[in-house]
């Protein structure tokens, strides 16, 4: 898991190359190009230690496809993210989830959609994924939130 995180900061490796490397059953080193092999061989893995320390200080966790908590559904898409960063309880995403994606400015149509779709999901104990929308539109989500609702 930490190796995949380290690959993110190796110069010359992008997410596409990392996805080719990261297979469900391990790392596929045959997917590397010669210059990428050299970049990995010359990489200062002490940088990974610094990154891990920074993540710990900032209370940021991460999961990779090798971790049990990595969502199975993401592994099925072509461009799955090789690393997911999170704050808080990541295991909540193992429950039934509904994601709300919006624009920077809430419209009256968006407000009506939130008011129509979110309450029934809360009643059914779904986790509502709103990300940064929760801060941006806290006024709109406040009436929908109860002590039982789970927003992330």
């Amino acid at each position: 898991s930490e190796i995949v995180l380290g690959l993110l900061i190796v110069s010359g490796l992008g997410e596409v190359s990392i996805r080719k490397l990261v297979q469900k059953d391990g790392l596929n080193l045959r997917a590397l190009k010669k210059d990428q092999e050299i970049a990995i061989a010359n990489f200062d893995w002490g940088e990974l230690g610094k990154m891990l320390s920074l993540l710990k200080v900032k209370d940021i966790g991460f999961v990779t496809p090798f971790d049990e908590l990595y969502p199975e559904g993401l592994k099925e898409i072509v461009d799955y993210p090789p690393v997911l960063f999170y704050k808080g309880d990541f295991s909540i995403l193992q429950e039934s989830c509904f994601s709300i994606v919006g624009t920077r400015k809430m419209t009256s149509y968006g407000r009506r959609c939130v008011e129509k779709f979110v309450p029934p999901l809360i009643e059914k104990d779904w986790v509502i994924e709103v990300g940064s929308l929760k801060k941006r539109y806290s006024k709109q989500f406040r009436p929908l939130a109860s002590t039982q609702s789970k927003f992330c």
Side-chain angles (χ1 to χ4, degrees):
S1 189
E2 291 178 358
I3 291 172
V4 178
L5 180 64
L7 292 173
L8 277 181
I9 54 178
V10 171
S11 179
L13 281 183
E15 283 193 24
V16 173
S17 299
I18 293 170
R19 275 194 294 275
K20 288 178 185 174
L21 273 169
V22 176
Q23 303 296 311
K24 292 178 184 172
D25 55 350
L27 292 177
N28 176 16
L29 298 177
R30 291 174 291 174
L32 286 174
K33 296 177 183 170
K34 191 67 174 168
D35 60 329
Q36 292 170 328
E37 285 180 31
I38 293 168
I40 290 173
N42 293 327
F43 179 66
D44 177 5
W45 288 93
E47 293 298 314
L48 174 58
K50 291 177 189 175
M51 183 179 213
L52 289 168
S53 295
L54 179 63
L55 291 173
K56 187 174 182 175
V57 166
K58 301 247 181 211
D59 197 28
I60 298 172
F62 69 95
V63 293
T64 72
F66 299 124
D67 297 309
E68 191 175 306
L69 285 178
Y70 192 91
E72 285 298 319
L74 281 182
K75 294 179 188 177
E76 303 302 319
I77 63 174
V78 175
D79 291 335
Y80 66 89
V83 178
L84 295 174
F85 295 94
Y86 66 91
K87 287 191 112 179
D89 180 11
F90 192 78
S91 67
I92 195 172
L93 296 179
Q94 301 300 316
E95 299 179 33
S96 296
C97 298
F98 182 81
S99 295
I100 298 175
V101 180
T103 62
R104 293 178 187 200
K105 184 176 180 189
M106 176 68 87
T107 64
S108 59
Y109 173 73
R111 186 174 298 107
R112 287 192 311 270
C113 287
V114 167
E115 290 167 353
K116 179 178 181 175
F117 291 110
V118 173
L121 294 170
I122 290 173
E123 287 175 22
K124 294 191 185 301
D125 205 29
W126 280 54
V127 174
I128 310 300
E129 298 175 81
V130 293
S132 63
L133 291 177
K134 187 175 179 183
K135 283 183 185 172
R136 197 176 298 144
Y137 303 128
S138 62
K139 191 167 47 174
Q140 282 80 15
F141 286 106
R142 200 173 299 124
L144 302 173
S146 70
T147 54
Q148 283 76 33
S149 38
K150 297 178 215 161
F151 287 93
C152 62

